[in-house]
């Protein structure tokens, strides 16, 4: 499972992901220098470390290398979320808490993602759009208990 990228690693990978093409240390350096003072050798070391960690692949071009991302930022983010979720002692509660932190736009994006995944699994995309309530067993209430203070 991936460890979170450090601040400078993230700044470098952000450029590699955004540009979506093979990049050189010099290109990344020049872009980073618009925000901060940084040495060529620092960027070169960070990109070499990212290569060693498997985040980028590189191909020699003359005396330099061109670096390309191995996966997408979306895949990186998903792996981090999966790691955080899988370490919980109560994954369902962790998901509920996470969903509770989401904005309305993020919840809509989640619904869209679930529709895509269900459609890819061969399930009906329409079924994902209209969730059904579980059946009420005789003698049970369909009311959900409220959290204290609500």
């Amino acid at each position: 499972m991936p460890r979170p990228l450090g601040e400078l690693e993230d700044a470098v990978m952000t450029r590699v992901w955004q540009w979506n093409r093979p990049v050189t240390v010099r290109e990344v350096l020049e872009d980073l220098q618009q925000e901060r003072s940084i040495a060529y050798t620092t960027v070169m070391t960070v990109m070499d470390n990212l290569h060693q960690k498997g985040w980028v692949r590189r191909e020699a071009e003359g005396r330099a290398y061109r670096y390309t991302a191995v996966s997408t930022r979306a895949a990186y983010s998903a792996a981090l979320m999966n790691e955080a979720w899988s370490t919980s002692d109560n994954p369902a509660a962790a998901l509920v808490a996470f969903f509770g932190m989401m904005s309305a736009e993020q919840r809509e994006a989640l619904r869209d993602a679930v529709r895509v995944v269900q459609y890819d699994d061969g399930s009906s995309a329409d079924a994902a759009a209209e969730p059904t309530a579980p059946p009420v067993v005789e003698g049970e209430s369909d009311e959900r208990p409220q959290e204290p203070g609500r």
Side-chain angles (χ1 to χ4, degrees), residues 33 72 96:
Q33 284 179 331
T72 64
V96 169

Side-chain angles (χ1 to χ4, degrees), residues 47-119:
M47 293 185 82
D48 184 62
N49 290 343
L50 290 167
H51 176 256
Q52 298 300 321
K53 292 177 180 182
W55 288 105
V56 294
R57 70 177 62 92
R58 66 185 180 192
E59 291 186 28
E61 184 176 280
R63 293 179 44 193
Y65 287 107
R66 285 212 173 259
Y67 294 85
T68 308
V70 170
S71 66
T72 64
R73 179 175 288 282
Y76 166 70
S77 297
L80 290 177
M81 288 188 287
N82 186 57
E83 174 71 10
W85 178 63
S86 67
T87 61
S88 173
D89 61 347
N90 187 339
L95 283 173
V96 169
F98 179 65
F99 296 156
M101 295 176 193
M102 293 176 141
S103 67
E105 294 80 18
Q106 289 170 321
R107 286 190 301 274
E108 185 60 32
L110 175 64
R111 282 190 282 278
D112 291 343
V114 168
R115 286 184 196 109
V116 168
V117 170
Q118 287 182 337
Y119 186 74

Side-chain angles (χ1 to χ4, degrees), residues 1-147:
M1 225 9 77
R3 288 182 32 192
L5 296 170
E7 179 188 347
L8 190 50
E9 289 175 327
D10 186 68
V12 169
M13 284 305 300
T14 294
R15 283 148 179 87
V16 174
W17 282 320
Q18 284 177 343
W19 295 340
N20 197 27
R21 61 173 173 76
V23 300
T24 64
V25 171
R26 176 76 51 204
E27 290 173 310
V28 174
L29 170 73
E30 289 173 358
D31 201 59
L32 284 171
Q33 284 179 331
Q34 294 177 23
E35 299 171 0
R36 62 176 96 184
S37 176
I38 190 166
Y40 180 91
T41 53
T42 302
V43 177
M44 183 176 63
T45 299
V46 168
M47 293 185 82
D48 184 62
N49 290 343
L50 290 167
H51 176 256
Q52 298 300 321
K53 292 177 180 182
W55 288 105
V56 294
R57 70 177 62 92
R58 66 185 180 192
E59 291 186 28
E61 184 176 280
R63 293 179 44 193
Y65 287 107
R66 285 212 173 259
Y67 294 85
T68 308
V70 170
S71 66
T72 64
R73 179 175 288 282
Y76 166 70
S77 297
L80 290 177
M81 288 188 287
N82 186 57
E83 174 71 10
W85 178 63
S86 67
T87 61
S88 173
D89 61 347
N90 187 339
L95 283 173
V96 169
F98 179 65
F99 296 156
M101 295 176 193
M102 293 176 141
S103 67
E105 294 80 18
Q106 289 170 321
R107 286 190 301 274
E108 185 60 32
L110 175 64
R111 282 190 282 278
D112 291 343
V114 168
R115 286 184 196 109
V116 168
V117 170
Q118 287 182 337
Y119 186 74
D120 286 349
D121 285 349
S123 304
S124 168
D126 293 335
E130 296 296 327
T132 58
V136 176
V137 177
E138 192 172 322
E140 287 185 359
S141 169
D142 63 347
E143 293 182 24
R144 297 173 193 240
Q146 294 292 317
E147 291 183 33

